[in-house]
Amino acid sequence: MLSFASLLRFLRICIFEHLKCCSLLGCKSYGTPEKKQSPDEKVFQEIKKSRNKRQKPMGWKCVDNCCWIVGYLCTTSWLLLFLLYIVPVSLPGLKGPEIPGARLKREGLVANHPVVLVPGIITGGLELWEGKPCAEPLFRKRLWGGWGSGFTDIFRRPVCWMDHLSLHYETGLDPPGIRVRPAPGLVAADYFAPGYFVWAILIENLAQIGYEDRNMYMAAYDWRLSFQNTEVRDRSLSRLKGQIEIMYATNGDKKVVVFPHSMGAVYFLHFLKWVELPAPVGGGGGSGWCAKYIKAIVNIGPTFLGVPKAFATILSAEGKDISLIRAMAAGLLESEFLGLQTIEHVMRVSRTWDSIVSLLPKGGETVWGNLDWSPEEGYNCESEEKRQLQALSKENNTRSSTDKSLFQVKHHKKYGRIISFGKEASEVVSSQLPTFSKDFMHSSTSANSSTSRGEFWTEYDDMSRENFQKIAENKVYTTTDLLDLLRYVAPKMMQRAEAHYSHGIAENLEDPKYNHHKYWSNPLETMLPDAPDMETYCMYGVGIPTERSYVYKMSPSDRRKGIPFRIDNSADGSDSCLRGGVYFVDGDESVPVLSSGFMCAKGWRGKTRFNPSGSATYVREYRHKPPSSMLEGRGLESAGHVDIMGNVALIEDVLRIAAGATGSELGGDRIHSDLLKMCNRVNVPL
Amino acid sequence: MSLIRRKNVPESSEAEIVDAEDDKKSKVPERKNRQWSCLDTCCWMVGCICVVWWLLLFSYNAMPASFPQFVTEAITGPLPDPPGVKVLKEGLKVKHPVVFVPGIVTAGLELWEGKDCTDGLFRKRLWGGTFGEVYKRPLCWMEHMILDNETGLDPPGVRVRPVTGLVAADYFAPGYFVWAVLIGNLARLGYEEKNMYMASYDWRLSFQNTEVRDQTLSRIKSNIELMVATSGGKKAVIIPHSMGVLYFLHFMKWVEAPAPMGGGGGPNWCAKHLKAVMNIGGPFLGVPKSVPGLFSAEVRDIAIIRAVAPGILDKDLFRFHMMLQHVMKVTRTWDSTMSMIPKGGDTIWGGLDWSPEEGYSPGKRDQNNNGTETPDNSEDENLISDAKHAHYGRIISFGKEAAIAAAAELKRIDFRDAVKGRNVANSSCRDVWTEYHDMGFGGINAVAEYKVYTADEILELLQFVAPKMMARGSAHFSYGIAENLDDPKYDHYKYWSNPLETKLPNAPDMEIFTLYGVGIPTERAYVYGLTNSAECAIPFQIDTSAHCADSCLAGGVYTVDGDETVPTLSAGYMCAKGWRGKTRFNPSGIKTYVREYDHAPPATLLEGRGTQSGAHVDIMGNFALIEDVLRVAAGATGEELGGDQIYSDILKWADRIKLDL
């Protein structure tokens, strides 16, 4: 009787919500009956045969059989579902480990400072406010992130979806007739996809010690736009300023603690500068604004000095961040799948996003190394694995041989060459390289085939094969060269984006030109605000191989259109540093240690020209430990770029800071990597 | 012998074999019959249904999105453009930022901290959405929806907070829109998150407590300031709905009051930041139906729950009477329900003998509308006699006779000093305690013997039956009429949500609209009876058997014109008269407009809840109303909309009310 009632209820829910129904029931039972039908059909055919022999009257038709099976399966699945529902929510013994928030609450931590969360690139949700007719049913539904009921609609029309996600190529703002806006509120970036948390765990832990909507704010912004454009179009910076002021006022004049993640760290850097400058360009907060309102900036996995993989993303749409998409829809990205050139699509769309340019490595060869030199040189890729090996088996003389190979490897790694064409080029001594000439870059890009600016147009289509050849002949590119290369292969994009971003190092920070907004998000070209009591933290994971430089090759020439370069997947080194055409260093899988740690460890440490007020900085590293069992999900001690938001140690630090602890109370710096050594090799005048 | 035997043996075995074969033959059909047992038939049916269901689902998903519209248009002819498109074609664009203030019940609440039974519900909706939890663990759910009986704030260890953002009240339940249609149409003009704001608040709390606990009023103030600043100084248009109207009235007073109790915005805050307040279905003077809600938990607003979950409140399942008591126990902790008790007492709502609406008959207005007025003597007589019967002033009468009898004939025994007595069954009702359990038969009978209660006496009645609740509520709300508005006592926040005890802010350029539906019978007065049953039950119940010859009294309820929830008098009086011109309630002479929308039920099922509905919530999908809102948001003034638009007798009724202005 009860189960029948539940059935009825279920049907009613189904009527209201077709889609939910599909996900709950449909999809489950779509799969099962189809699989099981074939063997069962055989059985039934046999039965039928035997019956035919005996020439009994036909009572069981095939259709009836099918119906019977389906009904049987449905009933069983419903019963199971029902059982699942009535099982007491907390089975004893199945309880996971206690979340850190609950433990700290018992210690007596309570919500103190209001908290602002600044999401990074990709992880923030976007929703549709105005679109073309093909997107009619998606109004106010998610186009990006946190896909719920709208997902099937997206899946049915991927091209339409792509159209809505891309921006205008020239302005970097909305294309005409389309308005896609960031989703507001905590839901903007709590889960990226159902079950794939971003901020959710952190929010839950904060809630444990008393945080709620009134003292926690998610500074959602459109991560596709350049930072200043978020203000121009959406007033995001003004709203962030307003919200911080509101929270400060309604929480008894307590300063806020800001938690930016990933690109959000650079975004907030931009905000810090914007908010104090006078009104037309800035927010007009006056020079004491940051000192008055901000207690601490706790950067989680910050991309302060950029990430090398941004180059790969722009050049050939092969970044690992985009691999999130790949992971979610593996089949889709197989090029030529269904005749769609998916990678080209991705490139076309992502090149309209100014924000990706903000992630290009900053500081040029001084920070990222040149042909012969790099700050990470001598990094021992295998140390991690070796340690494990040693722990497992302290055997025989293999050790000496590995040591030898390591020694050799050390010689080879030239991380400064961020892109090399061919594995040899990445290894040879610089004197053996063909003489470098940038001349071709200044020649015109002479479009030989401007015939078909079809749907999938990228700026590569305006270039000729010879130009690509020349690029490849040049063999080796450092960061500075790469910026030139990008200006060459994608002039329009770079022209658009470089109005918003700069990637150099300031000679003289007093120069009034640095009041232009394009310098604000580059920590090497701005000063921190005058706020001596403000604390800056860099919290990030270490112990995961992170992309640092690439071995490229030309793509096979039979393809007329498309992307001319590819990462050379076949290039493997003798050690784990070079795998699949990618050189790895220490980091959190997305951001190398150098980028996330340098500013806090050296650039802003003490009174420097980048930090004139001498506000305190702290580096907190978290060593990666893969999840020990499947039950742990993405790991309680993971240090992956996004997974770190579920790291117990980080959460504990975050809660303590929010509850009022200072950096020295946390224990000051906590460094596992070779960060300090690397920093010392970087000669930025401070 | 042996031969015979030998012969016999094979024979018999043969026979056996034959028999066995026969058996087999006969068994097979038998077994087949057994296979077609009841269970199999069930499975077969379920299977059939499933297959058909999946096919339908598949075709539904594969169907082009415009198909339903196509079908509708094929049946009913081309649909009118949605107002957003229509107005956009006229060239109107986004101009003033817009603030929505949702009403009671319609906004979502989510869980931030709960007891053990709410595992996995963190940040999930307890109110609004699918209401899945109500089914799964009703008692746990109740425990979290309830507030503290004494303070009217959170019970210890529970934090339930309003959902923020536009999602707070765009849909109440999947498919049941509240603000979604309006938001969709505003978006066509170019509105988006940055110039639309949903001022969601915890609608269970008293208005001042939303500030005390969540700083909601401060946040609304700051957000309005922020939006005005980021929109280039364009003033905001506020759109409150239902109880949100009172909430915003409270806000306007709060924001200008000095800091400890108010928001410290200074005397010109409203003039600086507000362009217009467009009240939709506002219960300015309260709603009579809140009285039975508090008295016996029989509201129709709670009927939304009933509509969503008919099983739950059904009489037989889950012991209905207990359910009602649970509902009463929970709702009585919500201070906000007391904000809607009728205000203004007998002056506004009528005494024993008269009421402003007297003479109203549902049929009459329809005739006027049709323009086919036939002076028919007999009907007029009929009307007059009807008018004699309907004593709307008697909001609660015990027994139909009491409701009909002339004032002189009423024999009333005062209840105020009656001994309440003790409830014998006290001990057994502990788990669902309502204040009725402190009352014995003496008290109950005393209440019933008084026969008739007018608006003033209702307050005393509630104070008698629920002293603790009213003590808590009267610290936050007041229901009277101010003698002298300059009296400093009116600086207290408890008067701020009563339009008869506050002055409008000093903002001569601001405009106040009241937009509401008319043409639906709306609860106005009740006939009650005593329940004779179980010890733990609520002792009073609407006497659903009370009917009258005319349609005014049906099922124990007298109805008048309104939008199904709020009577026209309550929604329209202040704008039609109380604030019209320079009055003592409106010292700066803010312009007011009354915009009524005549109810027309949806023509076909395909129309859903209708584009011309005048019902309390459905009116948010009324195209005419949306068009008005869009025009004002795009910059139009009330004059440009066409001034007043009145279908009901509100002006006549307003004139009957003797109130110093």
Side-chain angles (χ1 to χ4, degrees):
Chain A
M1 190 58 208
L2 274 171
S3 74
F4 188 63
S6 86
L7 266 183
L8 281 180
R9 177 168 71 79
F10 198 80
L11 282 177
R12 198 184 311 130
I13 291 172
C14 288
I15 293 164
F16 284 130
E17 279 188 289
H18 295 277
L19 294 165
K20 252 194 194 156
C21 175
C22 169
S23 65
L24 281 173
L25 165 147
C27 307
K28 200 173 191 175
S29 16
Y30 269 134
T32 37
E34 276 166 16
K35 269 180 213 158
K36 289 196 179 170
Q37 233 154 4
S38 53
D40 280 4
E41 253 175 18
K42 269 182 207 161
V43 174
F44 276 107
Q45 272 171 1
E46 278 170 24
I47 293 172
K48 228 186 348 188
K49 269 180 205 161
S50 63
R51 246 186 232 136
N52 282 346
K53 270 181 208 161
R54 283 172 198 167
Q55 297 182 341
K56 293 286 159 199
M58 290 282 293
W60 281 84
K61 284 185 198 143
C62 179
V63 186
D64 292 337
N65 286 333
C66 289
C67 281
W68 182 81
I69 297 170
V70 171
Y72 193 71
L73 288 171
C74 280
T75 324
T76 335
S77 65
W78 283 337
L79 272 176
L80 285 176
L81 220 94
F82 177 68
L83 280 177
L84 199 81
Y85 262 81
I86 57 164
V87 160
V89 191
S90 51
L91 269 182
L94 257 181
K95 260 197 168 167
E98 194 184 26
I99 60 174
R103 182 162 47 82
L104 293 171
K105 188 187 177 192
R106 254 183 284 119
E107 269 183 40
L109 255 62
V110 279
N112 190 3
H113 297 277
V115 158
V116 175
L117 313 173
V118 187
I121 195 168
I122 306 271
T123 48
L126 300 172
E127 36 178 55
L128 182 77
W129 278 88
E130 183 183 337
K132 295 181 178 161
C134 67
E136 192 88 356
L138 287 172
F139 176 68
R140 283 188 60 223
K141 296 233 177 74
R142 289 292 186 91
L143 284 190
W144 188 268
W147 293 285
S149 52
F151 195 66
T152 46
D153 282 319
I154 292 171
F155 226 68
R156 257 190 280 163
R157 35 193 105 110
V159 177
C160 173
W161 177 63
M162 290 270 197
D163 275 344
H164 285 81
L165 276 182
S166 68
L167 295 169
H168 193 268
Y169 208 88
E170 257 123 63
T171 59
L173 291 169
D174 287 326
I178 292 179
R179 278 188 292 147
V180 174
R181 295 288 177 267
L186 291 176
V187 284
D190 55 350
Y191 288 97
F192 178 66
Y196 189 88
F197 71 84
V198 182
W199 291 93
I201 304 249
L202 200 54
I203 292 172
E204 194 176 344
N205 280 292
L206 284 168
Q208 284 282 335
I209 62 169
Y211 281 95
E212 53 198 51
D213 257 318
R214 75 194 163 95
N215 45 16
M216 185 157 42
Y217 174 68
M218 177 78 77
Y221 58 98
D222 190 335
W223 47 264
R224 302 170 305 158
L225 298 184
S226 77
F227 302 153
Q228 193 66 13
N229 274 346
T230 62
E231 169 67 11
V232 171
R233 196 193 70 182
D234 297 339
R235 307 256 156 220
S236 296
L237 297 174
S238 301
R239 289 165 73 184
L240 178 53
K241 174 175 174 255
Q243 291 295 340
I244 290 179
E245 286 167 0
I246 294 172
M247 290 208 295
Y248 177 81
T250 54
N251 286 288
D253 290 359
K254 292 213 183 76
K255 295 184 193 177
V256 300
V257 176
V258 186
F259 295 100
H261 173 235
S262 182
M263 190 179 81
V266 208
Y267 184 73
F268 198 73
L269 211 59
H270 185 95
F271 172 81
L272 285 181
K273 201 73 188 163
W274 172 87
V275 75
E276 298 210 331
L277 282 174
V281 259
S287 61
W289 196 92
C290 294
K292 183 176 173 200
Y293 289 106
I294 297 178
K295 175 195 182 256
I297 303 171
V298 184
N299 301 292
I300 302 173
T303 58
F304 279 129
L305 299 180
V307 280
K309 84 159 110 171
F311 278 129
T313 308
I314 295 177
L315 264 184
S316 61
E318 285 183 300
K320 253 210 193 163
D321 233 16
I322 304 292
S323 76
L324 258 187
I325 307 178
R326 263 190 232 192
M328 292 186 65
L332 260 187
L333 288 191
E334 290 297 325
S335 40
E336 307 293 336
F337 171 72
L338 287 178
L340 298 170
Q341 294 168 305
T342 320
I343 296 261
E344 280 77 1
H345 262 298
V346 171
M347 166 167 267
R348 179 179 61 90
V349 172
S350 62
R351 277 199 176 178
T352 64
W353 297 344
D354 280 336
S355 58
I356 288 194
V357 178
S358 81
L359 294 176
L360 290 179
K362 292 160 196 166
E365 294 179 4
T366 323
V367 172
W368 292 96
N370 57 20
L371 290 180
D372 288 322
W373 165 89
S374 73
E376 284 108 333
E377 66 189 347
Y379 166 66
N380 192 348
C381 307
E382 295 205 350
S383 57
E384 198 67 27
E385 285 164 41
K386 205 180 74 188
R387 236 175 270 151
Q388 284 167 10
L389 269 178
Q390 273 174 358
L392 282 173
S393 56
K394 292 180 182 171
E395 292 173 299
N396 54 39
N397 47 7
T398 46
R399 246 183 90 189
S400 61
S401 68
T402 50
D403 270 356
K404 213 187 252 172
S405 74
L406 278 175
F407 187 70
Q408 284 171 345
V409 167
K410 231 182 211 173
H411 252 289
H412 291 307
K413 277 171 293 181
K414 300 195 177 351
Y415 291 118
R417 304 173 185 183
I418 287 186
I419 285 182
S420 338
F421 281 88
K423 193 181 156 196
E424 288 76 40
S426 73
E427 290 171 349
V428 293
V429 193
S430 59
S431 55
Q432 285 171 24
L433 283 170
T435 45
F436 193 81
S437 68
K438 284 186 187 172
D439 296 343
F440 71 93
M441 289 194 185
H442 304 297
S443 61
S444 72
T445 45
S446 68
N448 66 338
S449 59
S450 56
T451 44
S452 59
R453 278 199 184 185
E455 248 186 296
F456 313 131
W457 178 80
T458 60
E459 288 192 69
Y460 280 133
D461 298 343
D462 288 351
M463 294 173 65
S464 64
R465 189 88 199 157
E466 293 83 65
N467 288 328
F468 297 145
Q469 212 74 47
K470 265 185 208 157
I471 291 171
E473 273 163 18
N474 222 340
K475 294 295 181 201
V476 176
Y477 293 87
T478 64
T479 36
T480 330
D481 302 334
L482 273 171
L483 284 175
D484 288 335
L485 178 66
L486 286 184
R487 283 179 202 124
Y488 177 63
V489 299
K492 284 182 194 152
M493 178 193 76
M494 288 305 278
Q495 199 186 346
R496 185 190 73 223
E498 292 209 310
H500 291 286
Y501 299 110
S502 163
H503 300 92
I505 300 181
E507 293 283 305
N508 172 18
L509 280 165
E510 305 293 330
D511 193 331
K513 83 166 178 177
Y514 288 113
N515 279 340
H516 190 274
H517 65 78
K518 78 177 188 178
Y519 299 104
W520 295 346
S521 61
N522 182 355
L524 298 173
E525 291 179 307
T526 40
M527 290 186 274
L528 282 187
D530 179 27
D533 293 336
M534 193 176 82
E535 294 175 317
T536 310
Y537 295 79
C538 291
M539 295 182 163
Y540 53 90
V542 293
I544 310 184
T546 307
E547 298 162 63
R548 175 67 169 82
S549 56
Y550 300 88
V551 177
Y552 262 74
K553 66 174 183 193
M554 298 278 287
S555 7
S557 55
D558 54 318
R559 296 254 312 271
R560 267 295 163 82
K561 290 178 77 174
I563 299 158
F565 312 114
R566 280 288 140 91
I567 292 177
D568 185 2
N569 289 330
S570 63
D572 276 312
S574 49
D575 60 349
S576 63
C577 273
L578 175 61
R579 246 183 298 134
V582 183
Y583 281 99
F584 292 98
V585 291
D586 203 5
D588 70 355
E589 199 170 18
S590 290
V591 188
V593 168
L594 186 70
S595 173
S596 30
F598 176 76
M599 289 318 289
C600 286
K602 195 170 173 213
W604 291 328
R605 189 49 64 91
K607 258 200 170 97
T608 68
R609 64 187 181 113
F610 300 113
N611 181 10
S613 66
S615 60
T617 62
Y618 301 95
V619 178
R620 306 279 294 173
E621 290 184 348
Y622 303 89
R623 183 165 284 290
H624 179 67
K625 252 190 226 160
S628 51
S629 66
M630 287 290 284
L631 272 177
E632 253 187 69
R634 284 157 67 201
L636 301 171
E637 291 177 90
S638 169
H641 189 58
V642 177
D643 294 352
I644 201 173
M645 312 274 270
N647 185 310
V648 175
L650 178 125
I651 290 173
E652 194 180 324
D653 285 350
V654 162
L655 293 194
R656 285 187 192 283
I657 296 170
T662 63
S664 47
E665 282 165 24
L666 282 188
D669 285 353
R670 195 173 84 165
I671 297 179
H672 298 290
S673 67
D674 298 333
L675 177 66
L676 296 178
K677 224 193 294 172
M678 291 180 211
C679 288
N680 282 334
R681 295 205 194 107
V682 176
N683 287 317
V684 178
L686 294 175
Chain B
M1 270 297 276
S2 65
L3 261 178
I4 293 166
R5 247 187 222 160
R6 226 181 262 164
K7 228 183 170 179
N8 269 349
V9 171
E11 259 185 22
S12 64
S13 67
E14 236 182 48
E16 269 178 25
I17 291 167
V18 172
D19 263 358
E21 265 184 13
D22 268 349
D23 265 9
K24 247 189 205 166
K25 277 180 189 172
S26 61
K27 256 182 197 167
V28 170
E30 253 180 45
R31 204 199 283 150
K32 216 190 72 187
N33 280 342
R34 225 178 49 225
Q35 273 178 344
W36 266 126
S37 69
C38 174
L39 192 74
D40 290 327
T41 323
C42 279
C43 281
W44 181 83
M45 272 184 55
V46 171
C48 273
I49 293 169
C50 280
V51 171
V52 172
W53 176 250
W54 286 338
L55 277 177
L56 284 177
L57 206 84
F58 177 74
S59 51
Y60 175 81
N61 272 331
M63 184 173 67
S66 57
F67 190 69
Q69 200 193 343
F70 176 76
V71 170
T72 323
E73 285 190 357
I75 295 172
T76 60
L79 287 176
D81 270 343
V85 176
K86 183 182 163 195
V87 174
L88 186 66
K89 277 181 193 155
E90 289 176 24
L92 295 186
K93 274 211 311 278
V94 46
K95 192 168 178 201
H96 297 276
V98 164
V99 177
F100 309 112
V101 188
I104 196 168
V105 177
T106 50
L109 299 172
E110 55 187 20
L111 182 80
W112 279 86
E113 184 184 339
K115 300 182 177 154
D116 287 341
C117 63
T118 57
D119 211 26
L121 289 181
F122 173 69
R123 281 185 57 223
K124 299 258 160 61
R125 284 201 183 195
L126 286 190
W127 188 268
T130 55
F131 282 96
E133 292 315 310
V134 190
Y135 294 99
K136 266 192 251 169
R137 27 199 147 160
L139 283 180
C140 176
W141 181 76
M142 289 256 184
E143 237 178 275
H144 286 82
M145 287 302 294
I146 205 168
L147 293 171
D148 191 283
N149 208 5
E150 312 266 304
T151 60
L153 293 170
D154 286 325
V158 172
R159 278 190 291 152
V160 174
R161 295 288 177 268
V163 177
T164 52
L166 293 178
V167 286
D170 55 350
Y171 288 95
F172 176 66
Y176 189 88
F177 72 82
V178 182
W179 293 92
V181 179
L182 187 57
I183 292 172
N185 281 295
L186 281 166
R188 297 217 188 234
L189 291 196
Y191 279 92
E192 53 196 62
E193 207 75 44
K194 73 173 165 185
N195 37 27
M196 274 194 280
Y197 174 64
M198 179 74 77
S200 59
Y201 57 99
D202 191 335
W203 46 262
R204 300 169 305 158
L205 299 185
S206 76
F207 302 154
Q208 192 69 10
N209 273 345
T210 63
E211 170 69 11
V212 170
R213 196 192 70 180
D214 299 338
Q215 283 89 45
T216 308
L217 295 172
S218 301
R219 289 166 70 181
I220 294 174
K221 171 176 175 251
S222 308
N223 273 303
I224 291 176
E225 286 168 0
L226 190 62
M227 286 210 297
V228 170
T230 54
S231 314
K234 299 211 179 62
K235 294 183 200 172
V237 173
I238 316 292
I239 309 174
H241 173 234
S242 184
M243 191 181 79
V245 167
L246 301 177
Y247 189 71
F248 197 74
L249 214 56
H250 185 94
F251 172 82
M252 283 197 288
K253 207 67 193 168
W254 172 87
V255 75
E256 300 204 337
M261 199 186 279
N268 290 320
W269 194 93
C270 291
K272 254 187 248 163
H273 293 93
L274 305 182
K275 173 188 190 282
V277 182
M278 306 194 78
N279 303 295
I280 300 177
F284 284 108
L285 302 178
V287 276
K289 86 151 90 159
S290 68
V291 174
L294 292 166
F295 193 54
S296 63
E298 286 184 299
V299 228
R300 273 246 219 103
D301 226 18
I302 304 286
I304 290 187
I305 308 178
R306 271 187 227 189
V308 175
I312 252 207
L313 293 184
D314 213 307
K315 288 215 176 207
D316 299 312
L317 274 174
F318 300 117
R319 291 191 293 166
F320 177 60
H321 292 283
M322 288 296 275
M323 222 51 216
L324 258 193
Q325 273 178 297
H326 274 295
V327 168
M328 172 173 259
K329 181 183 156 205
V330 172
T331 51
R332 278 200 173 176
T333 65
W334 297 346
D335 285 339
S336 60
T337 51
M338 282 178 275
S339 74
M340 297 200 286
I341 293 174
K343 290 162 193 166
D346 292 1
T347 319
I348 301 286
W349 294 96
L352 288 179
D353 286 328
W354 79 278
S355 73
E357 287 109 329
E358 65 189 348
Y360 166 73
S361 150
K364 198 174 127 205
R365 203 172 60 76
D366 281 354
Q367 249 179 21
N368 283 347
N369 277 354
N370 292 342
T372 54
E373 234 174 311
T374 45
D376 194 332
N377 274 338
S378 66
E379 211 178 298
D380 267 358
E381 249 173 35
N382 221 343
L383 281 173
I384 289 161
S385 64
D386 276 349
K388 261 185 192 160
H389 289 304
H391 295 293
Y392 293 119
R394 307 174 185 182
I395 292 184
I396 286 183
S397 334
F398 278 89
K400 194 180 154 193
E401 289 75 35
I404 297 170
E409 294 164 22
L410 278 172
K411 279 182 200 140
R412 306 206 285 177
I413 302 165
D414 204 351
F415 66 97
R416 272 157 263 205
D417 300 324
V419 182
K420 277 190 180 179
R422 278 181 55 83
N423 195 333
V424 201
N426 233 350
S427 52
S428 59
C429 305
R430 269 296 163 212
D431 54 332
V432 269
W433 184 87
T434 60
E435 289 190 70
Y436 278 124
H437 300 137
D438 286 350
M439 265 172 81
F441 289 110
I444 291 167
N445 281 331
V447 167
E449 284 302 311
Y450 195 61
K451 298 283 187 207
V452 170
Y453 296 87
T454 63
D456 277 336
E457 288 153 350
I458 285 288
L459 287 175
E460 285 165 25
L461 172 65
L462 286 175
Q463 241 137 31
F464 183 71
V465 299
K468 283 184 191 157
M469 175 187 78
M470 288 306 282
R472 202 182 63 227
S474 58
H476 289 284
F477 301 107
S478 166
Y479 313 100
I481 300 177
E483 292 284 303
N484 171 19
L485 278 166
D486 292 323
D487 191 333
K489 81 165 180 176
Y490 288 113
D491 289 340
H492 191 272
Y493 62 76
K494 78 175 188 181
Y495 299 104
W496 291 346
S497 60
N498 181 357
L500 298 174
E501 291 179 305
T502 43
K503 287 188 269 191
L504 285 182
N506 177 31
D509 294 337
M510 201 171 90
E511 291 176 313
I512 294 183
F513 296 78
T514 179
L515 317 154
Y516 55 90
V518 291
I520 310 182
T522 306
E523 296 161 65
R524 175 69 168 82
Y526 301 86
V527 177
Y528 260 84
L530 287 175
T531 43
N532 44 3
S533 64
E535 310 108 29
C536 294
I538 297 162
F540 310 106
Q541 216 177 22
I542 293 176
D543 180 7
T544 43
S545 65
H547 283 280
C548 224
D550 61 343
S551 54
C552 273
L553 177 62
V557 180
Y558 280 100
T559 53
V560 291
D561 203 5
D563 69 356
E564 200 171 16
T565 301
V566 184
T568 306
L569 185 71
S570 175
Y573 175 76
M574 287 316 289
C575 283
K577 187 146 181 243
W579 289 331
R580 193 46 66 89
K582 260 199 170 92
T583 68
R584 66 186 179 116
F585 301 111
N586 180 10
S588 63
I590 295 171
K591 287 203 184 73
T592 61
Y593 300 94
V594 179
R595 306 280 295 172
E596 292 184 348
Y597 303 90
D598 204 10
H599 176 71
T604 63
L605 266 176
L606 281 168
E607 255 187 67
R609 284 155 70 200
T611 56
Q612 291 173 287
S613 173
H616 191 58
V617 176
D618 295 354
I619 200 173
M620 311 278 274
N622 185 316
F623 278 9
L625 176 133
I626 292 174
E627 198 183 317
D628 285 350
V629 171
L630 294 190
R631 285 184 193 283
V632 172
T637 62
E639 288 301 328
E640 285 161 22
L641 283 190
D644 286 352
Q645 168 183 303
I646 294 177
Y647 297 104
S648 69
D649 299 332
I650 179 69
L651 295 178
K652 214 200 305 175
W653 295 341
D655 278 340
R656 290 205 193 120
I657 293 173
K658 309 260 175 313
L659 180 70
D660 295 335
L661 293 174

